[in-house]
Amino acid sequence: MKSVKFSALVFVLFTLCSPVCLAQEEIALPAPDFPRTVSLGEALQQRRSERDFSNPAPLSDQVLSNLLWAACGISSDEGKITAPSAMNRQDICVYVCREDGAYRYDASRHVLLKVSDKDLRQPIASRQSFAAQAPVCLLIASDLSRFERNAEQMGTVDAGYVSQNICLACVALGLKTVPRMTMDQAALHSALNLPEKTLLILNHPVGYK
Ligand SMILES: Cc1cc2nc3c(=O)[nH]c(=O)nc-3n(C[C@H](O)[C@H](O)[C@H](O)COP(=O)(O)O)c2cc1C
C-alpha cells in the first residue's frame, strides 16, 4: 500500500515538473502579409472610433498577425519596430485577450505566449460593456523600468503611437476598434501578474465590421 502511495507521489511530482507541463503555451503566428487595401490617406479619412462589437466572428490568425505586426512588430533587420519608441527602449507590450485566455505578443519571434487561461475582456470593458463583446481586446502596456527618467510620459507617448498604428491597421484590415483608457487596472494587473513598474495605458476592443 505504502509503495502504491509512493509511486503515485512520484508520478504527480514528475508530471508537475516535466518540461511539457512547464512549457508556456505558444501560438506561432503566420508571417505578416499586410494587404494593400487602402491608401494612407483613405485610412486616415475612414478611421473612426466604433463601439458596436456585436459581430462575434473570431479574428483569423492571419488578420491577428497583420494587426499585431502593424501595432509594434519588427520592421527592420536591426530589430526596429513599426511604432516610434522613445530612445528605442521598445517598452510597449501588447496583450491579446479573448475568450480562451490572454497572450503576450512577443514581437521578436512573432508569436503569442499564453499568460492566463482567463477571459479578461470583462475587466478590460469595465463599465463600458460593449467592449466585452469584441472577439479580441488588445491591451497596451509599458514597461516603465526601461526608462531612467520621465518614464510615465515616455511610456504613455509610446503607447499612443502603437494605438494609432492599431487604429489605422483596423481600417486597412476591415476591422473596427476604439482606443480606450477605461479598464479595471487593478484587476488586470493582478490577473496578468504584471511587475509593479508595468503600466496599463490603453486598450482596443477589435472585431470585424
Ligand atoms: C487617450 C484616449 C482615451 C480614450 N478612452 C476612451 C474610453 O475609455 N472609452 C471610449 O469609449 N472611448 C475612448 N476614447 C475614444 C474617444 O472618445 C474618441 O477618439 C473621440 O470621441 C473622437 O472620436 P473618433 O475617434 O471617432 O474621431 C479615447 C480616446 C483617446 C485618444
Side-chain angles (χ1 to χ4, degrees):
M1 186 61 181
K2 251 187 187 167
S3 79
V4 172
K5 272 192 187 162
F6 181 73
S7 310
L9 183 67
V10 169
F11 175 77
V12 168
L13 284 175
F14 178 79
T15 310
L16 285 176
C17 299
S18 74
V20 175
C21 180
L22 292 178
Q24 192 172 20
E25 197 179 316
E26 184 173 303
I27 300 176
L29 293 165
D33 182 17
F34 212 85
R36 287 163 200 265
T37 45
V38 290
S39 68
L40 176 59
E42 287 165 335
L44 288 166
Q45 176 74 47
Q46 291 170 28
R47 184 213 61 79
R48 275 302 153 268
S49 292
E50 303 203 50
R51 297 178 180 81
D52 172 3
F53 295 95
S54 50
N55 181 350
L59 269 54
S60 71
D61 282 357
Q62 186 65 63
V63 167
L64 193 55
S65 161
N66 293 345
L67 182 60
L68 291 169
W69 175 78
C72 58
I74 303 287
S75 56
S76 83
D77 291 343
E78 321 94 271
K80 292 279 181 80
I81 58 175
T82 53
S85 163
M87 296 183 283
N88 195 26
R89 293 291 164 87
Q90 300 189 5
D91 54 301
I92 297 298
C93 185
V94 174
Y95 291 89
V96 175
C97 302
R98 51 189 197 187
E99 193 175 19
D100 64 330
Y103 300 81
R104 184 168 65 78
Y105 173 51
D106 178 350
S108 65
R109 295 174 53 230
H110 199 59
V111 298
L112 293 177
L113 299 169
K114 196 162 204 183
V115 290
S116 171
D117 286 328
K118 292 190 193 128
D119 181 352
L120 300 179
R121 291 174 300 169
Q122 187 49 57
I124 290 177
S126 187
R127 61 193 155 74
Q128 291 191 307
S129 54
F130 66 81
Q133 280 192 293
V136 166
C137 287
L138 301 180
L139 195 49
I140 305 175
S142 168
D143 174 6
L144 300 184
S145 71
R146 299 205 180 185
F147 301 109
E148 297 81 31
R149 57 187 180 282
N150 301 331
E152 277 205 24
Q153 279 130 300
M154 303 278 201
T156 306
V157 171
D158 282 359
Y161 287 116
V162 171
S163 172
Q164 179 72 335
N165 281 359
I166 293 171
C167 287
L168 295 176
C170 279
V171 178
L173 296 168
L175 301 168
K176 42 183 167 177
T177 193
V178 51
R180 300 173 60 248
M181 286 192 103
T182 304
M183 63 181 122
D184 186 338
Q185 296 253 3
L188 292 166
H189 220 272
S190 145
L192 292 167
N193 201 17
L194 297 175
E196 199 189 323
K197 287 215 157 188
T198 295
L199 183 64
L200 292 169
I201 300 171
L202 282 161
N203 65 76
H204 279 262
V206 180
Y208 284 106
K209 281 200 182 270

